C-alpha cells in the first residue's frame, strides 16, 4: 500500500527567507512524486514532479524539491519566500505500477511580510 | 479555455435528496478521478475511470455512483444525501504514464 505524510500542519516563514515543506512517502514500487498548491476556493495546481533522473527537480514559481530515496522524502523548497506563496501545499505519490494517486494531509504555508 | 470544468460550483440540498455533479475535460486525457476534500482539507480518492472503464473504486458508500458516458466526462451521482456528505468534490484528469493531475475548481456540497 502506498502512503504519504506531511508532518507539519503549518509552516511560518518571513518573506525573503528560505522555506521547506516536508514530505515522506511509502510505496512498494518506484515512486512518482508530485507537489501541488491550493489557493482558497480553487482546485489544486501542479507545481513539480519527480519521476526519474536528477534528485533535484525544479518547478513553477521558483519552487524546487529534492528526492531522497534513502530517507523516502521529497521536501519542497524555495530559496526566498514571497507573501504570495502563502497557500495550502500538498505532496502526492503514485506507485509506478498503479493508477491511484494519494495525497498527504496538506501543509499551510504562511509567509509574513 | 477551462481544462477541467465542474458544475455546479455550489450545491445546497437537504438530507435524503439525490443530486449529481458533472465534470468535463477538454485535455484529451484518458483517465479521470473524483476526490473528496473534507472540512480539514484532507483529500481522499473516490473513483477513477480510464477510457470509460472503472479502475479505482475506494471504500465509498453505494449511494455514490460514478458514470462516464465518454472519456471526456465523468459524472458523480449521489443518492439519499447525508450530512456527512458535505464536502468539496474535485474532479481531475490525467494524461498517460507519469503525467500530473489537472483539477477542476471543485463543487462545494452542503447537505442540511
Amino acid at each position: 500500500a502506498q502512503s504519504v505524510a506531511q508532518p507539519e500542519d503549518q509552516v511560518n516563514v518571513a518573506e525573503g527567507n528560505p522555506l521547506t515543506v516536508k514530505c515522506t512517502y511509502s510505496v512498494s514500487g518506484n515512486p512518482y512524486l508530485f507537489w501541488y498548491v491550493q489557493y482558497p476556493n480553487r482546485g489544486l495546481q501542479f507545481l513539480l514532479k519527480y519521476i526519474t533522473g536528477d534528485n533535484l527537480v525544479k518547478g513553477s514559481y521558483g519552487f524546487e524539491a529534492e528526492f531522497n530515496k534513502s530517507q523516502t522524502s521529497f521536501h519542497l523548497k524555495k530559496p526566498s519566500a514571497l507573501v504570495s506563496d502563502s497557500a495550502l501545499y500538498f505532496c502526492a505519490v503514485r506507485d509506478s505500477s498503479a493508477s491511484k494517486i494519494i495525497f498527504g494531509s496538506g501543509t499551510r504555508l504562511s509567509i509574513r511580510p | 479555455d477551462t481544462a477541467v470544468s465542474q458544475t455546479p460550483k455550489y450545491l445546497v440540498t437537504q438530507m435524503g435528496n439525490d443530486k449529481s455533479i458533472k465534470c468535463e475535460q477538454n485535455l484529451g486525457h484518458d483517465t479521470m478521478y473524483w476526490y473528496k476534500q473534507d472540512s480539514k482539507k484532507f483529500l481522499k480518492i473516490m473513483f477513477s475511470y480510464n477510457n470509460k472503464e472503472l479502475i479505482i473504486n475506494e471504500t465509498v458508500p453505494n449511494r455514490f455512483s460514478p458514470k462516464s458516458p465518454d472519456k471526456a466526462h465523468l459524472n458523480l451521482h449521489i443518492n439519499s444525501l447525508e450530512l456527512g456528505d458535505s464536502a468539496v468534490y474535485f474532479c481531475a484528469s490525467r494524461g498517460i504514464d507519469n503525467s500530473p493531475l489537472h483539477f477542476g475548481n471543485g463543487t462545494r456540497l452542503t447537505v442540511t
Side-chain angles (χ1 to χ4, degrees), chain B residues 2-5 23-32 70-74 91-94 102:
Chain B
T2 303
V4 181
S5 59
C23 179
E24 175 182 4
Q25 54 96 3
N26 62 6
L27 298 167
H29 290 165
D30 284 342
T31 309
M32 296 184 72
D70 55 62
K71 74 174 192 176
H73 295 84
L74 180 60
C91 176
S93 70
R94 179 174 67 83
H102 293 254

Side-chain angles (χ1 to χ4, degrees), chain B residues 92-109:
Chain B
S93 70
R94 179 174 67 83
I96 59 171
D97 295 334
N98 52 45
S99 302
L101 290 171
H102 293 254
F103 281 84
N105 283 327
T107 295
R108 183 175 296 276
L109 172 65

